[in-house]
Amino acid sequence: MADRYLSFTATAPGRFLTARLGLPQPAALSRWTAERPALDGHLLHLTAGGPSGLDLAPVLARTGLPTTTETAGADTGTEAAGATAGTTRRAAVVLDATGVRDVDALAEVHAALHPVLRSVAASGRVVVLGAPLDARDHHQAAVQQALEGLVRSLGKEIGRGRTVNLVRLTDASAAESTLRFLLSPKSAYVSGQVIGVGAEAPDGPVDWILPLIGRTALVTGGARGIGAAVAETLARDGAHVVVLDVPQAEEDAHRVAARLGGSALTLDITAADAGERIAAELPDGLDVLIHNAGITRDRRLVNMPAERWSSVLDVNLASVLRTTDALLAKGALRTGGRIVATASIAGLAGNAGQTNYGASKAGVAGLVRSLAPRALAEHGVTVNAVAPGFIETRMTAAVPLFIREAGRRMNSLAQGGLPVDVAETTAWLAHPASGAVNGQVVRVCGQSLLGA
Ligand code: NAD
């Protein structure tokens, strides 16, 4: 279902009318295309709180964006003065605030961002880098946590399709895949997020063009909607994709697989032996497991028969637990493997009529947080989740008009996301260079007002 309001506000009369009426004015987001794979403009690298110890410059240089560096307000770059005055187009600002340890240093964050925000282009990026909270220093922990409040608030006020995210890190190379993602058009619908990245830098060279070449990825529920977009994006990144879906969706599953040069597997993921059947189908193992299949059976709890409860819990949570356990136990996920499960903001914030769905998706987040450290230690496999907000699919096209309109607008970008937004986020988590991203639940929700 096309977002006609978004198209209308892109016209001159639409802009005029919505501005006069004080209505939301969503900006058309720039998304990744093969022709325009990078943001358009310069990257400004700022530091607050003194030198951080991160070796960030080479990593930022590899984003391909021309970079200007400024430290504590002093210009060291050639275009810095003009840019600060708003004459250079900023595609992105990266503020390294890892060295901020007290409230005085926090003022440097304000001093660094305040003069440059106006120069950030539409669909531009603000990425703040923070340090892990120090359990032995409550002043450091207070101001590092303060960065979250700053980032989430700035995300809500910055407008024009611009996003603001916080990355907590200790090693710049370990965070390269994350920074490349956030500093690219691929993260168009990811805003207001706090992402923790560990210290394990990738060993060996990384193919940034076809990162998944030679790897096999299985996408459950891949015949349509978000799953089909995930399959397509992983295939773009070089993976051989296995599209798994229920027997009723066999035709669609084959069509998607044929288009991507992959294969189809018709299987109800709730089958008790689903894990064993996947392992039998892929005797050489797999590298990327995407738990995307999901259903809704909405009804308020007082009216909800047990069958509606259990069918949702079975598809969305129990089958994810069962197949993950079976595939890990069989060693079917190769070292360096990636598991990405699909949660939902309904599981993080709650939603009326969705106690079953919300429970199942919150369960996915719990599974990820508990399993991630063990799966990495025992199998060399990371486990993360994406938590979509309002995404334009058949699922949301079926929502009644008024609720659908509210769902679309109630986020900082004032529009619904597209399946490709979830797919790009999944591809970043599935990336061979994302081994230091583990146990994260990343929302793809345009910074939804729900539970933000
Ligand atoms: P969709 O209904 O369009 O597609 C889901 C796919 O999963 C279908 O192809 C379906 O046949 C398949 N499937 C369902 N049960 C299955 C089973 N037992 N075994 C194998 N395959 C099965 O849904 P979508 O909107 O693309 O959502 C994909 C995922 O994203 C789901 O987990 C959903 O809960 C989640 N999600 C979606 C949104 C949104 O706004 N669309 C928001 C948050 C989360």
Side-chain angles (χ1 to χ4, degrees), residues 41-362:
H42 288 66
L43 185 156
L44 176 62
H45 169 195
L46 301 168
T47 305
S52 73
L54 287 180
D55 193 13
L56 206 53
V59 172
L60 295 181
R62 287 195 291 271
T63 60
L65 298 173
T67 300
T68 309
T69 303
E70 290 180 28
T71 306
D75 292 353
T76 54
T78 45
E79 310 110 326
T84 306
T87 55
T88 297
R89 195 180 156 84
R90 298 279 184 222
V93 173
V94 174
L95 172 64
D96 181 354
T98 51
V100 171
R101 301 193 71 86
D102 55 37
V103 179
D104 287 344
L106 205 51
E108 290 179 30
V109 172
H110 169 268
L113 288 177
H114 169 72
V116 300
L117 287 175
R118 280 202 180 85
S119 70
V120 180
S123 280
R125 304 281 184 265
V126 176
V127 177
V128 177
L129 307 181
L133 306 194
D134 188 340
R136 291 153 309 159
D137 181 349
H138 56 287
H139 289 251
Q140 187 270 5
V143 295
Q144 285 295 327
Q145 183 90 41
L147 295 176
E148 292 190 15
L150 164 90
V151 158
R152 293 206 166 105
S153 301
L154 185 57
K156 291 188 174 181
E157 66 187 35
I158 195 163
R160 298 176 63 209
R162 297 177 288 186
T163 66
V164 188
N165 291 289
L166 174 68
V167 180
R168 293 203 185 285
L169 75 172
T170 53
D171 182 287
S173 332
E176 181 159 350
S177 69
T178 302
L179 294 174
R180 282 184 184 240
F181 169 67
L182 292 175
L183 295 170
S184 81
K186 294 177 177 176
S187 58
Y189 201 61
V190 177
S191 193
Q193 297 307 293
V194 178
I195 298 159
V197 181
E200 201 72 23
D203 51 350
V206 178
D207 183 340
W208 294 103
I209 308 289
L210 288 173
L212 295 176
I213 197 88
R215 294 176 192 238
T216 300
L218 180 114
V219 183
T220 73
R224 70 172 202 215
I226 294 172
V230 171
E232 187 163 336
T233 304
L234 299 181
R236 175 203 67 190
D237 284 355
H240 173 88
V241 180
V242 182
V243 177
L244 181 151
D245 216 299
V246 288
Q248 301 90 295
E250 182 169 13
E251 209 174 299
D252 284 345
H254 277 283
R255 197 174 32 78
V256 173
R259 187 156 48 83
L260 306 176
S263 40
L265 173 58
T266 46
L267 172 64
D268 187 326
I269 201 68
T270 62
D273 62 348
E276 285 72 16
R277 285 172 59 188
I278 293 168
E281 190 73 20
L282 298 168
D284 296 332
L286 77 159
D287 304 283
V288 177
L289 171 60
I290 310 295
H291 292 295
N292 163 80
I295 59 167
T296 51
R297 297 285 182 271
D298 296 357
R299 188 121 349 141
R300 286 176 189 267
L301 189 62
V302 282
N303 300 323
M304 187 182 293
E307 183 280 325
R308 278 179 108 86
W309 173 271
S310 54
S311 56
V312 168
L313 268 292
D314 202 19
V315 176
N316 296 4
L317 182 59
S319 73
V320 176
L321 287 159
R322 257 194 316 267
T323 44
T324 301
D325 288 352
L327 290 169
L328 285 176
K330 284 185 165 301
L333 272 148
R334 289 195 274 258
T335 304
R338 306 276 180 257
I339 299 174
V340 184
T342 308
S344 163
I345 59 164
L348 308 179
N351 202 17
Q354 293 200 310
T355 51
N356 50 359
Y357 185 76
S360 71
K361 296 300 190 178

